[in-house]
Coordinates of all heavy atoms in Angstrom, one line a residue:
G13 N 50.1 -35.4 17.8 CA 49.0 -35.1 18.7 C 48.8 -36.1 19.9 O 48.0 -35.9 20.7
G14 N 49.6 -37.2 19.9 CA 49.5 -38.1 21.0 C 50.1 -37.5 22.3 O 50.7 -36.4 22.3
G15 N 49.9 -38.2 23.4 CA 50.4 -37.7 24.7 C 49.7 -38.4 25.8 O 49.0 -39.4 25.6
L16 N 49.9 -37.8 27.0 CA 49.3 -38.3 28.2 C 48.0 -37.5 28.6 O 48.1 -36.3 28.6 CB 50.3 -38.2 29.4 CG 49.8 -38.6 30.8 CD1 49.4 -40.0 30.8 CD2 50.9 -38.3 31.8
V17 N 47.0 -38.2 28.8 CA 45.7 -37.5 29.1 C 45.0 -38.3 30.2 O 45.1 -39.5 30.4 CB 44.8 -37.4 27.9 CG1 44.4 -38.7 27.4 CG2 43.6 -36.5 28.2
Q18 N 44.2 -37.6 31.1 CA 43.5 -38.2 32.1 C 42.2 -38.9 31.6 O 41.7 -38.5 30.6 CB 43.1 -37.2 33.2 CG 44.3 -36.7 34.0 CD 43.9 -35.8 35.1 OE1 42.8 -35.3 35.2 NE2 44.8 -35.6 36.1
P19 N 41.8 -39.9 32.3 CA 40.5 -40.5 31.9 C 39.4 -39.5 31.8 O 39.3 -38.6 32.6 CB 40.2 -41.5 33.0 CG 41.6 -41.9 33.5 CD 42.4 -40.6 33.4
G20 N 38.6 -39.6 30.7 CA 37.5 -38.6 30.5 C 38.0 -37.4 29.6 O 37.2 -36.6 29.2
G21 N 39.3 -37.3 29.4 CA 39.8 -36.2 28.6 C 39.7 -36.5 27.1 O 39.2 -37.4 26.7
S22 N 40.3 -35.5 26.4 CA 40.2 -35.5 24.9 C 41.6 -35.3 24.3 O 42.5 -34.7 24.9 CB 39.3 -34.5 24.4 OG 38.0 -34.6 24.9
L23 N 41.8 -35.8 23.1 CA 42.9 -35.6 22.3 C 42.5 -35.6 20.9 O 41.5 -36.2 20.5 CB 44.0 -36.7 22.5 CG 44.9 -36.7 23.7 CD1 45.8 -38.0 23.6 CD2 45.8 -35.5 23.7
R24 N 43.3 -34.8 20.1 CA 43.1 -34.8 18.6 C 44.4 -35.2 18.0 O 45.4 -34.5 18.1 CB 42.6 -33.5 18.1 CG 42.2 -33.6 16.6 CD 41.7 -32.3 16.1 NE 42.7 -31.4 15.7 CZ 42.6 -30.4 14.8 NH1 41.4 -30.3 14.2 NH2 43.5 -29.6 14.5
L25 N 44.3 -36.3 17.3 CA 45.5 -36.8 16.5 C 45.4 -36.3 15.1 O 44.3 -36.1 14.5 CB 45.5 -38.3 16.5 CG 45.5 -39.1 17.8 CD1 45.6 -40.6 17.5 CD2 46.5 -38.6 18.7
S26 N 46.5 -36.0 14.6 CA 46.6 -35.5 13.2 C 47.6 -36.4 12.4 O 48.5 -37.0 12.9 CB 47.2 -34.1 13.1 OG 46.3 -33.2 13.8
C27 N 47.3 -36.6 11.1 CA 48.1 -37.4 10.2 C 48.3 -36.5 9.0 O 47.4 -36.4 8.2 CB 47.4 -38.7 9.9 SG 48.3 -39.7 8.7
A28 N 49.5 -36.0 8.8 CA 49.8 -35.2 7.7 C 50.5 -36.1 6.6 O 51.4 -36.8 6.8 CB 50.8 -34.1 8.1
A29 N 50.0 -35.9 5.4 CA 50.4 -36.7 4.3 C 51.2 -35.8 3.3 O 51.0 -34.6 3.2 CB 49.2 -37.3 3.5
S30 N 52.2 -36.4 2.7 CA 52.9 -35.8 1.6 C 53.0 -36.8 0.4 O 52.7 -38.0 0.6 CB 54.4 -35.5 2.0 OG 55.1 -36.6 2.5
G31 N 53.3 -36.3 -0.7 CA 53.3 -37.1 -1.9 C 51.9 -36.9 -2.6 O 51.1 -36.2 -2.2
S32 N 51.7 -37.7 -3.6 CA 50.5 -37.6 -4.4 C 49.5 -38.7 -4.1 O 49.8 -39.7 -3.5 CB 50.9 -37.7 -5.9 OG 51.5 -39.0 -6.2
G33 N 48.3 -38.3 -4.4 CA 47.2 -39.3 -4.3 C 46.4 -39.2 -3.0 O 45.5 -40.1 -2.8
F34 N 46.7 -38.2 -2.1 CA 45.9 -38.2 -0.8 C 44.4 -38.2 -1.0 O 43.7 -39.0 -0.4 CB 46.4 -37.0 0.0 CG 45.6 -36.8 1.3 CD1 46.0 -37.5 2.4 CD2 44.5 -36.0 1.3 CE1 45.3 -37.4 3.6 CE2 43.8 -35.9 2.5 CZ 44.2 -36.6 3.6
S35 N 43.9 -37.3 -1.9 CA 42.5 -37.1 -2.0 C 41.8 -38.4 -2.5 O 40.6 -38.5 -2.3 CB 42.2 -35.9 -2.9 OG 42.7 -36.1 -4.2
S36 N 42.5 -39.3 -3.2 CA 41.9 -40.4 -3.8 C 42.0 -41.7 -2.9 O 41.5 -42.8 -3.2 CB 42.5 -40.8 -5.1 OG 43.8 -41.1 -5.0
R37 N 42.6 -41.5 -1.7 CA 42.9 -42.6 -0.8 C 41.9 -42.6 0.3 O 41.5 -41.6 0.8 CB 44.3 -42.5 -0.2 CG 45.4 -42.7 -1.2 CD 45.5 -44.1 -1.7 NE 46.6 -44.3 -2.7 CZ 46.4 -44.5 -3.9 NH1 45.2 -44.7 -4.4 NH2 47.5 -44.6 -4.8
D38 N 41.5 -43.8 0.7 CA 40.8 -44.0 2.0 C 41.9 -43.8 3.1 O 43.0 -44.3 2.9 CB 40.2 -45.4 2.1 CG 39.0 -45.6 1.2 OD1 38.7 -44.7 0.5 OD2 38.4 -46.7 1.3
M39 N 41.5 -43.2 4.1 CA 42.4 -42.9 5.2 C 41.8 -43.4 6.5 O 40.6 -43.5 6.7 CB 42.7 -41.4 5.4 CG 43.2 -40.7 4.1 SD 44.9 -41.2 3.7 CE 45.8 -40.6 5.2
G40 N 42.7 -43.7 7.5 CA 42.1 -44.2 8.7 C 43.2 -44.4 9.8 O 44.3 -44.0 9.7
W41 N 42.7 -45.0 10.9 CA 43.5 -45.2 12.0 C 43.3 -46.6 12.6 O 42.2 -47.1 12.6 CB 43.2 -44.2 13.2 CG 43.4 -42.8 12.8 CD1 42.5 -42.0 12.2 CD2 44.5 -42.0 13.1 NE1 43.1 -40.7 12.0 CE2 44.3 -40.7 12.6 CE3 45.8 -42.3 13.7 CZ2 45.3 -39.7 12.7 CZ3 46.7 -41.3 13.9 CH2 46.4 -40.0 13.4
Y42 N 44.5 -47.2 12.9 CA 44.5 -48.4 13.7 C 45.2 -48.1 15.0 O 45.9 -47.1 15.1 CB 45.2 -49.6 13.0 CG 44.4 -50.3 12.0 CD1 44.2 -49.8 10.7 CD2 43.9 -51.6 12.3 CE1 43.4 -50.5 9.8 CE2 43.2 -52.3 11.4 CZ 42.9 -51.8 10.1 OH 42.2 -52.5 9.2
R43 N 45.1 -49.0 16.0 CA 45.9 -48.8 17.2 C 46.4 -50.2 17.7 O 45.8 -51.2 17.3 CB 45.1 -48.1 18.3 CG 43.9 -49.0 18.9 CD 43.1 -48.2 19.8 NE 42.1 -49.0 20.5 CZ 41.2 -48.5 21.3 NH1 41.1 -47.2 21.6 NH2 40.3 -49.3 21.9
Q44 N 47.4 -50.1 18.4 CA 48.0 -51.4 19.0 C 48.5 -51.1 20.4 O 49.4 -50.3 20.6 CB 49.1 -51.9 18.1 CG 49.6 -53.3 18.5 CD 50.4 -54.0 17.4 OE1 51.0 -53.3 16.5 NE2 50.5 -55.3 17.5
A45 N 48.0 -51.9 21.3 CA 48.4 -51.8 22.7 C 49.4 -52.9 22.9 O 49.4 -54.0 22.2 CB 47.2 -52.0 23.6
P46 N 50.3 -52.8 23.9 CA 51.3 -53.8 24.2 C 50.7 -55.2 24.4 O 49.8 -55.3 25.1 CB 52.0 -53.3 25.4 CG 51.8 -51.8 25.4 CD 50.5 -51.6 24.8
G47 N 51.2 -56.2 23.7 CA 50.8 -57.5 23.8 C 49.4 -57.8 23.1 O 48.9 -58.9 23.3
K48 N 48.9 -56.9 22.4 CA 47.6 -57.1 21.7 C 47.8 -56.9 20.2 O 48.7 -56.3 19.7 CB 46.6 -56.1 22.2 CG 46.2 -56.3 23.7 CD 45.1 -55.4 24.1 CE 44.7 -55.7 25.5 NZ 43.5 -54.9 26.0
Q49 N 46.8 -57.4 19.5 CA 46.8 -57.3 18.0 C 46.4 -55.9 17.6 O 45.8 -55.2 18.4 CB 45.8 -58.3 17.4 CG 46.3 -59.7 17.5 CD 45.4 -60.7 16.7 OE1 44.2 -60.4 16.5 NE2 45.9 -61.7 16.2
R50 N 46.8 -55.5 16.4 CA 46.4 -54.2 15.9 C 44.9 -54.2 15.7 O 44.3 -55.1 15.2 CB 47.2 -53.9 14.6 CG 47.0 -52.5 14.2 CD 48.0 -52.1 13.0 NE 49.4 -52.1 13.5 CZ 50.4 -51.6 12.8 NH1 50.2 -51.1 11.6 NH2 51.6 -51.5 13.3
E51 N 44.3 -53.1 16.1 CA 42.8 -53.0 16.2 C 42.4 -51.8 15.3 O 42.9 -50.7 15.4 CB 42.4 -52.7 17.6 CG 40.9 -52.5 17.8 CD 40.5 -52.1 19.2 OE1 41.4 -51.7 19.9 OE2 39.3 -52.1 19.5
F52 N 41.4 -52.1 14.5 CA 40.8 -51.0 13.6 C 40.1 -50.0 14.5 O 39.3 -50.3 15.4 CB 39.9 -51.6 12.6 CG 39.0 -50.6 11.9 CD1 39.6 -49.7 11.0 CD2 37.7 -50.5 12.2 CE1 38.8 -48.8 10.3 CE2 36.9 -49.5 11.5 CZ 37.5 -48.7 10.6
V53 N 40.4 -48.7 14.2 CA 39.7 -47.6 15.0 C 38.7 -46.9 14.1 O 37.5 -46.8 14.5 CB 40.8 -46.6 15.5 CG1 40.1 -45.5 16.3 CG2 41.8 -47.3 16.4
A54 N 39.1 -46.3 13.0 CA 38.2 -45.5 12.2 C 38.8 -45.4 10.8 O 40.0 -45.5 10.6 CB 38.1 -44.1 12.8
T55 N 37.9 -45.1 9.9 CA 38.3 -44.9 8.5 C 37.4 -43.8 7.9 O 36.2 -43.6 8.3 CB 38.2 -46.2 7.6 OG1 38.7 -45.9 6.3 CG2 36.7 -46.7 7.5
I56 N 37.9 -43.1 6.9 CA 37.1 -42.2 6.1 C 37.5 -42.4 4.7 O 38.7 -42.4 4.3 CB 37.4 -40.7 6.6 CG1 36.5 -39.8 5.8 CG2 38.8 -40.3 6.6 CD1 36.4 -38.4 6.4
T57 N 36.6 -42.6 3.8 CA 36.8 -42.9 2.4 C 37.2 -41.6 1.7 O 37.0 -40.5 2.2 CB 35.7 -43.6 1.7 OG1 34.6 -42.6 1.6 CG2 35.2 -44.8 2.5
S58 N 37.6 -41.8 0.5 CA 37.9 -40.6 -0.4 C 36.7 -39.8 -0.6 O 36.8 -38.6 -0.8 CB 38.5 -41.1 -1.7 OG 37.6 -41.9 -2.4
G59 N 35.5 -40.4 -0.5 CA 34.2 -39.7 -0.6 C 33.7 -39.1 0.7 O 32.6 -38.5 0.7
G60 N 34.4 -39.3 1.8 CA 34.0 -38.8 3.1 C 33.1 -39.7 3.9 O 32.6 -39.3 4.9
I61 N 32.9 -40.9 3.5 CA 32.1 -41.9 4.3 C 33.0 -42.4 5.4 O 34.1 -42.8 5.2 CB 31.6 -43.0 3.4 CG1 30.7 -42.5 2.3 CG2 30.9 -44.1 4.3 CD1 30.3 -43.5 1.3
T62 N 32.4 -42.4 6.6 CA 33.2 -42.8 7.8 C 32.6 -44.1 8.4 O 31.5 -44.5 8.2 CB 33.1 -41.7 8.9 OG1 31.7 -41.5 9.3 CG2 33.7 -40.4 8.4
D63 N 33.5 -44.8 9.1 CA 33.1 -46.0 9.8 C 34.1 -46.2 11.0 O 35.2 -45.7 10.9 CB 33.2 -47.2 8.9 CG 32.5 -48.4 9.5 OD1 31.7 -48.3 10.4 OD2 32.8 -49.6 9.0
Y64 N 33.6 -46.8 12.0 CA 34.3 -46.9 13.2 C 34.3 -48.3 13.8 O 33.4 -49.0 13.6 CB 33.7 -45.9 14.3 CG 33.7 -44.5 13.9 CD1 32.7 -43.9 13.2 CD2 34.8 -43.7 14.2 CE1 32.7 -42.6 12.8 CE2 34.9 -42.3 13.9 CZ 33.8 -41.8 13.1 OH 33.8 -40.5 12.8
G65 N 35.4 -48.6 14.5 CA 35.4 -49.8 15.3 C 34.5 -49.7 16.5 O 34.2 -48.6 16.9
D66 N 34.2 -50.8 17.0 CA 33.2 -50.8 18.2 C 33.8 -49.9 19.3 O 33.0 -49.2 20.0 CB 33.0 -52.2 18.7 CG 32.1 -53.0 17.7 OD1 31.4 -52.4 16.8 OD2 32.1 -54.2 17.8
S67 N 35.1 -50.0 19.6 CA 35.6 -49.2 20.7 C 35.6 -47.7 20.5 O 35.7 -46.9 21.4 CB 37.1 -49.7 20.9 OG 37.8 -49.4 19.8
A68 N 35.4 -47.3 19.3 CA 35.5 -45.9 18.9 C 34.1 -45.2 18.7 O 34.0 -44.0 18.8 CB 36.3 -45.6 17.7
K69 N 33.1 -46.0 18.5 CA 31.8 -45.5 18.2 C 31.2 -44.7 19.3 O 31.3 -45.1 20.5 CB 30.8 -46.7 17.9 CG 31.1 -47.3 16.6 CD 30.2 -48.5 16.3 CE 30.5 -49.2 15.0 NZ 29.7 -50.4 14.7
G70 N 30.8 -43.5 19.0 CA 30.2 -42.6 19.9 C 31.2 -41.7 20.7 O 30.8 -40.8 21.4
R71 N 32.5 -42.0 20.5 CA 33.5 -41.2 21.3 C 34.5 -40.6 20.4 O 35.0 -39.5 20.7 CB 34.2 -42.1 22.3 CG 33.3 -42.7 23.3 CD 34.1 -43.5 24.4 NE 34.9 -44.6 23.8 CZ 36.2 -44.7 24.0 NH1 36.9 -43.9 24.7 NH2 36.8 -45.7 23.5
F72 N 34.8 -41.2 19.2 CA 35.8 -40.7 18.3 C 35.2 -40.2 17.0 O 34.2 -40.7 16.6 CB 36.8 -41.8 18.0 CG 37.6 -42.4 19.1 CD1 37.5 -41.9 20.4 CD2 38.6 -43.4 18.9 CE1 38.3 -42.4 21.5 CE2 39.3 -43.9 19.9 CZ 39.2 -43.4 21.2
T73 N 35.8 -39.2 16.4 CA 35.3 -38.7 15.2 C 36.5 -38.6 14.2 O 37.5 -37.9 14.6 CB 34.6 -37.3 15.3 OG1 33.5 -37.5 16.2 CG2 34.1 -36.8 14.0
I74 N 36.4 -39.1 13.0 CA 37.5 -39.0 12.0 C 37.0 -38.0 11.0 O 35.8 -37.9 10.7 CB 37.8 -40.4 11.4 CG1 39.0 -40.3 10.5 CG2 36.6 -40.9 10.6 CD1 39.5 -41.6 10.0
S75 N 38.0 -37.2 10.5 CA 37.7 -36.2 9.5 C 38.9 -36.0 8.6 O 40.0 -36.5 9.0 CB 37.3 -34.9 10.1 OG 38.3 -34.3 10.9
R76 N 38.7 -35.4 7.5 CA 39.9 -35.2 6.6 C 39.8 -33.8 6.0 O 38.6 -33.3 5.8 CB 40.0 -36.3 5.5 CG 38.8 -36.3 4.5 CD 38.9 -37.5 3.7 NE 40.1 -37.6 2.8 CZ 40.5 -38.7 2.2 NH1 39.9 -39.8 2.4 NH2 41.6 -38.6 1.4

Side-chain angles (χ1 to χ4, degrees):
L16 174 64
V17 63
Q18 292 187 341
S22 298
L23 280 176
R24 188 176 81 156
L25 305 184
S26 299
C27 175
S30 59
S32 60
F34 176 84
S35 61
S36 65
R37 295 286 181 249
D38 288 2
M39 302 293 297
W41 297 86
Y42 278 79
R43 70 185 185 186
Q44 189 166 21
K48 295 187 176 181
Q49 290 188 331
R50 192 167 288 193
E51 176 189 16
F52 169 71
V53 177
T55 186
I56 184 166
T57 69
S58 58
I61 298 171
T62 60
D63 194 17
Y64 298 90
D66 289 341
S67 61
K69 289 177 181 176
R71 299 187 299 127
F72 296 1
T73 302
I74 189 170
S75 61
R76 66 190 295 163

